[in-house]
Structure formats: structure tokens, C-alpha cells
Amino acid sequence: MKNTIYFIFGKPYVESKFYRFTYWFGVGFYFFALLLFSIQALSFGGWVNILIPAIAFPLIFRLVYKLNTRIHTHTSFKGLNKRVFIILGIVLGGMIGLFTVITLVVTFFFGDNVVINMNKTTTNGEVNVSIGSLKGNHEVETFEINETVNGTMTIPFEASVEEGEYTIYLEHSDEEIWEDTISSAKNGVIRFKGKKGIYTISVYTDEAKKVKLSLSLY
């Protein structure tokens, strides 16, 4: 495991407790963030979106860490004024911050599935979802019908969007059986034949903001 970490981040500077702590803190932060992003990707899709930060963070960390340890150990830097190190730290921090902003922008504009500021509550069959910004597909709810039901089943819904438009669609056995496009506030009903199996309600959009959807499943 250590060899893998050293390959990704380089080796730590063991002569200083501070630099050892900084190294392992950065490694821990990276894997913790990677775990959270992976859970989000499993839930909402968009594995491609985590590749850029997953690859770029170790590269930037190695650069900054190596530069700082070189400055710390090189005798030619011993006489430098502390103000120089402060300015250097601000510049490097600004570079990392700028890269983070660029990564988020690239992720949103070029990612296939992007979900920002999503909240979901489920109470007694009432499902309420709100999404700040949405691009691509997002699975809202999955439910199962254990036995085929005669006639048509209905699921009332309330939907709205403040910018753009999105499509609500229902799938059964990976086949789309119903859809409706929302461009403003709308109350409607999902109608379908109640065949036995698993159903999935999802939304799709090229880009939409302040998406809201409420479903009455029971």
C-alpha cells in the first residue's frame, strides 16, 4: 500500500514532523474525497467527472510539497526573508484555488451528468426532490410492483423549473413507458399499466436550474 501511495504522491520528507504530518494529511484528504465522489458517482452517475480532480490533485500536491521541502532543506534559501515565503505560499495557494475553480467549471460544462445542491426527502410515500443545477440524467425514485395490477396506475406529481426545462420519464425493465417535459410549474399525473416488476422515475435535461419535483407514490 505504501509503495502505491509513494508512486502517486512521491515519498514524504521524514526529517521534519511538520512535513510528515502535511504529507499524510494530504494523502488522507485525497482518499476521503475520492471515496465521497465515488459514492456520489454510484448514486447519480458521472464517473468521468471525478477523473480530472483524481489525477490532478496528486500532481499539484507533489509539485507544492516538493517545492516546499526543497526550500526547507536547500542552504541557499536559509537567509531569505519570511515575507518571501509568505508571498510564495499565497501564490501557490492561489494557483490551487484557481485550478479548483477551473475544475468545477470544466466538470459542469463538459460533464455528462452533473447534479449540484440536491436535496431529497421521503415521507409516507411522498417524495420531494430539489436540485440547484442539473445537467444530464438523475434517478429520482425506484419502486416495485409485486403483482400485475388490472387497469391503469397513477402517480400524481408537482413539478417546476426556474431556468431551462427538463423531462420526467418512467422506465420499466429499462424501457421508457412514459414521459413529460416541464418548462414551468405544472401539476400532472404519471399513468402506466401496472405490470409486475421494478420501475424507475428519472429526470433528464441539457441544463436546468432550480428543479423541483414532488411525487405521491402511495
Side-chain angles (χ1 to χ4, degrees), residues 44-47 49 107 110-115 134-138 204:
F44 309 121
W47 284 98
N49 299 335
T107 298
F110 298 100
D112 294 327
N113 294 305
V114 181
V115 181
L134 175 64
K135 181 181 180 182
N137 291 284
H138 177 68
Y204 171 80

Coordinates of all heavy atoms in Angstrom, one line a residue, residues 44-47 49 107 110-115 134-138 204:
F44 N -25.5 8.7 -8.5 CA -26.1 9.6 -9.5 C -25.4 9.5 -10.9 O -25.8 10.2 -11.9 CB -26.0 11.1 -9.1 CG -26.5 11.3 -7.7 CD1 -25.7 11.8 -6.7 CD2 -27.8 11.0 -7.4 CE1 -26.2 12.0 -5.4 CE2 -28.3 11.2 -6.1 CZ -27.5 11.7 -5.1
G45 N -24.4 8.7 -11.0 CA -23.6 8.6 -12.3 C -22.6 9.7 -12.4 O -22.4 10.5 -11.6
G46 N -21.9 9.7 -13.6 CA -20.9 10.7 -13.9 C -19.5 10.4 -13.4 O -18.8 11.2 -12.8
W47 N -19.1 9.1 -13.7 CA -17.7 8.7 -13.2 C -16.7 9.6 -13.9 O -15.6 9.8 -13.3 CB -17.5 7.2 -13.6 CG -18.2 6.3 -12.6 CD1 -19.4 5.7 -12.8 CD2 -17.7 5.9 -11.3 NE1 -19.7 4.9 -11.7 CE2 -18.7 5.0 -10.8 CE3 -16.6 6.2 -10.6 CZ2 -18.6 4.5 -9.5 CZ3 -16.4 5.6 -9.4 CH2 -17.4 4.8 -8.8
N49 N -16.6 12.6 -14.4 CA -16.4 13.9 -13.7 C -15.4 13.9 -12.6 O -14.8 14.9 -12.2 CB -17.8 14.4 -13.1 CG -18.8 14.6 -14.1 OD1 -18.5 14.8 -15.3 ND2 -20.1 14.4 -13.7
T107 N -16.0 20.6 -15.2 CA -16.9 19.5 -14.8 C -18.3 19.8 -15.2 O -19.0 18.9 -15.7 CB -16.8 19.2 -13.3 OG1 -15.4 18.8 -13.0 CG2 -17.7 18.0 -12.9
F110 N -18.7 20.3 -19.3 CA -18.3 19.2 -20.1 C -18.6 17.8 -19.6 O -18.5 16.8 -20.2 CB -16.8 19.2 -20.5 CG -16.4 20.5 -21.2 CD1 -15.8 21.5 -20.5 CD2 -16.6 20.6 -22.5 CE1 -15.4 22.7 -21.2 CE2 -16.2 21.8 -23.2 CZ -15.7 22.8 -22.6
G111 N -19.1 17.8 -18.3 CA -19.5 16.5 -17.7 C -20.9 16.0 -18.3 O -21.7 16.8 -18.7
D112 N -21.0 14.7 -18.3 CA -22.3 14.2 -18.9 C -23.4 14.3 -17.9 O -24.5 14.7 -18.2 CB -22.1 12.7 -19.2 CG -21.1 12.5 -20.4 OD1 -21.1 13.4 -21.2 OD2 -20.4 11.5 -20.4
N113 N -23.2 14.0 -16.6 CA -24.2 14.1 -15.6 C -23.6 14.9 -14.4 O -22.6 14.5 -13.8 CB -24.6 12.7 -15.1 CG -25.3 11.9 -16.1 OD1 -26.3 12.3 -16.7 ND2 -24.7 10.7 -16.4
V114 N -24.2 16.1 -14.2 CA -23.8 17.0 -13.1 C -25.0 17.3 -12.3 O -26.0 17.8 -12.8 CB -23.1 18.2 -13.7 CG1 -22.7 19.1 -12.5 CG2 -22.0 17.9 -14.6
V115 N -24.9 17.1 -11.0 CA -26.0 17.4 -10.0 C -25.4 18.2 -8.9 O -24.5 17.8 -8.2 CB -26.6 16.1 -9.4 CG1 -27.8 16.5 -8.5 CG2 -27.2 15.2 -10.5
L134 N -28.8 21.2 -12.7 CA -28.8 19.8 -13.2 C -28.4 19.8 -14.7 O -28.8 20.6 -15.5 CB -30.2 19.2 -13.1 CG -30.5 17.8 -13.7 CD1 -29.6 16.8 -13.0 CD2 -32.0 17.4 -13.6
K135 N -27.6 18.8 -15.0 CA -27.2 18.6 -16.4 C -27.1 17.1 -16.6 O -26.4 16.4 -15.9 CB -25.9 19.2 -16.7 CG -25.4 19.0 -18.1 CD -24.1 19.7 -18.4 CE -23.6 19.5 -19.8 NZ -22.3 20.1 -20.0
G136 N -27.8 16.5 -17.6 CA -27.8 15.1 -17.8 C -29.0 14.4 -17.1 O -30.0 15.0 -16.9
N137 N -28.7 13.1 -16.8 CA -29.8 12.3 -16.1 C -29.6 12.3 -14.6 O -28.5 12.3 -14.1 CB -29.7 10.9 -16.6 CG -30.1 10.7 -18.1 OD1 -31.3 10.8 -18.4 ND2 -29.2 10.6 -19.0
H138 N -30.7 12.1 -13.9 CA -30.7 11.9 -12.5 C -31.8 11.0 -12.1 O -33.0 11.3 -12.4 CB -30.8 13.3 -11.7 CG -30.8 13.1 -10.2 ND1 -29.8 12.6 -9.5 CD2 -31.8 13.3 -9.4 CE1 -30.1 12.6 -8.2 NE2 -31.3 13.0 -8.1
Y204 N -34.3 14.2 -16.9 CA -33.2 14.5 -17.9 C -33.3 15.9 -18.4 O -34.4 16.4 -18.6 CB -33.2 13.6 -19.1 CG -32.2 14.0 -20.1 CD1 -30.9 13.7 -20.0 CD2 -32.6 14.7 -21.2 CE1 -30.0 14.1 -20.9 CE2 -31.7 15.1 -22.2 CZ -30.4 14.8 -22.0 OH -29.5 15.2 -23.0

